[in-house]
Amino acid sequence: MADPEEHSAQLPQCPSASGEGLLPPELRAWMVLLAATGAVEQQLRSVVKERLDVSHDEFLILCLLAEQPRTGLRMTQIAELLGRPKTRLTYQIACIQHAGLVTRTSVSGDRRGVQVALTEKGRDLLQGASGVLAETVSKALARFVGPAEREAVCGLLPDLAERSDSGTPTAE
């Protein structure tokens, strides 16, 4: 792969570095963030499928549940947090429940409420793959962002900053 410094010449300049152009800085920054997110998701999709044998959307559900108490979340909360319709989540959650990665239970006192929680199998699967997944995110970001953007991202992702400081290459 090309040197990250060479590659960064092809990237858009950090939106905060220039006041020129049609769009205000906030909108330019948002567009760069969307592009970086797209690059990460593109790289992550195949690794998620290979390592976890779930779809990207199912992976997002698992990650969301991994950050919650063991009691989990209601379906409506998951839909809201992921910005997905509840009807679409029903199928995805049924798939990961069938795989033994989550449980679904009725909410006490609410006949329509459904609570979803990560199982131990789901926790173990995520924990076992988390290092590879984190490295995939770091590499995708390293390929996309230039030096100014990388500095900003390092503030958000401490592990990326540590590897930068240690001289460990993050791009292939």
Side-chain angles (χ1 to χ4, degrees), residues 116-137:
V116 181
L118 204 56
T119 63
E120 285 307 312
K121 179 180 177 181
R123 287 185 187 286
D124 291 345
L125 184 67
L126 276 176
Q127 188 172 23
S130 64
V132 171
L133 296 170
E135 183 65 22
T136 300
V137 169

Side-chain angles (χ1 to χ4, degrees), residues 33-111:
L33 181 59
L34 285 176
T37 300
V40 170
E41 285 186 351
Q42 183 179 10
Q43 294 294 315
L44 206 50
R45 283 181 196 280
S46 62
V47 176
V48 164
K49 189 64 179 166
E50 177 186 310
R51 292 298 205 137
L52 304 177
D53 196 29
V54 298
S55 72
H56 182 71
D57 285 345
E58 292 164 353
F59 168 68
L60 294 177
I61 295 166
L62 295 175
C63 287
L64 184 61
L65 292 172
E67 294 298 311
Q68 302 304 315
R70 291 191 182 262
T71 55
L73 290 171
R74 291 176 69 129
M75 287 276 290
T76 52
Q77 292 173 298
I78 295 170
E80 200 174 279
L81 290 167
L82 293 178
R84 305 279 197 293
K86 186 179 170 194
T87 54
R88 183 173 164 196
L89 285 178
T90 301
Y91 173 75
Q92 293 167 331
I93 289 174
C95 290
I96 54 180
Q97 180 184 19
H98 181 72
L101 304 177
V102 299
T103 59
R104 284 193 295 190
T105 56
S106 297
V107 175
S108 176
D110 182 354
R111 63 185 175 95

